[in-house]
């Protein structure tokens, strides 16, 4: 049974940094595409970043490119999202997701992911 658990959210001032972690169990980490999505109140869940060893790369939304960085610790089955230069519009619940079968064209769509964590709140004050 796949389980994803996010941690590291919190309250930070604009311009600050936060590090989110996603601990994965029940899957072979290196065979999965791992992603971060976020959802602000009243808005749809949106793609933030993804890492896929199978597809050979990392992917970012335009809104976070250059500010956020995704990395993995394969020994610990953990994915990290380093968030720098945070803005109030980054405020959302951040979710970790995984898929063993997603293809590149589906990468940015939440419907392509089979497994989700419970989410962690990130609040950026102005």
């Amino acid at each position: 049974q796949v389980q994803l658990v996010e941690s590291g959210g919190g309250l930070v001032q604009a311009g600050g940094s936060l590090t989110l972690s996603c601990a994965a169990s029940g899957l072979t980490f290196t065979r999965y595409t791992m992603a971060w999505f976020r959802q602000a109140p009243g808005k749809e869940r949106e793609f933030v970043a993804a890492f896929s060893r199978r597809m050979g790369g990392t992917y970012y939304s335009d809104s976070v490119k250059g500010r956020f960085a995704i990395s993995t610790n394969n020994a610990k089955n953990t994915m990290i999202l380093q968030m720098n230069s945070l803005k109030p519009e980054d405020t959302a619940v951040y979710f970790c997701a995984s898929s063993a079968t997603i293809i590149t064209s589906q990468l940015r769509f939440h419907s392509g992911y089979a497994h989700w964590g419970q989410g962690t709140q990130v609040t950026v004050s102005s």
Side-chain angles (χ1 to χ4, degrees):
Q1 181 179 354
V2 175
Q3 186 173 14
L4 305 174
V5 179
E6 303 95 335
S7 61
L11 174 64
V12 65
Q13 288 188 333
S17 299
L18 278 177
T19 303
L20 303 185
S21 296
C22 172
S25 61
L27 55 79
T28 304
F29 196 66
T30 55
R31 296 180 183 177
Y32 276 66
T33 295
M34 305 295 296
W36 289 97
F37 282 76
R38 66 187 182 186
Q39 188 165 18
K43 295 188 176 181
E44 293 189 0
R45 193 166 296 192
E46 67 169 346
F47 173 78
V48 175
F51 172 81
S52 179
R53 186 175 300 276
R54 180 165 55 88
M55 298 181 198
T58 54
Y59 305 82
Y60 297 94
S61 68
D62 289 341
S63 62
V64 308
K65 195 176 297 182
R67 300 188 298 122
F68 291 11
I70 194 171
S71 62
T72 60
N73 183 328
N74 293 336
K76 295 184 178 181
N77 267 20
T78 300
M79 177 175 63
I80 304 296
L81 184 68
Q82 178 63 44
M83 305 187 295
N84 299 322
S85 301
L86 283 162
K87 305 175 181 179
E89 51 264 42
D90 293 319
T91 295
V93 178
Y94 283 69
F95 296 91
C96 173
S98 69
S99 172
T101 59
I102 199 167
I103 59 177
T104 306
S105 60
Q106 298 174 326
L107 202 65
R108 299 170 188 269
F109 298 95
H110 61 82
S111 58
Y113 294 85
H115 309 290
W116 292 86
Q118 81 289 350
T120 186
Q121 176 70 46
V122 171
T123 303
V124 184
S125 62
S126 57

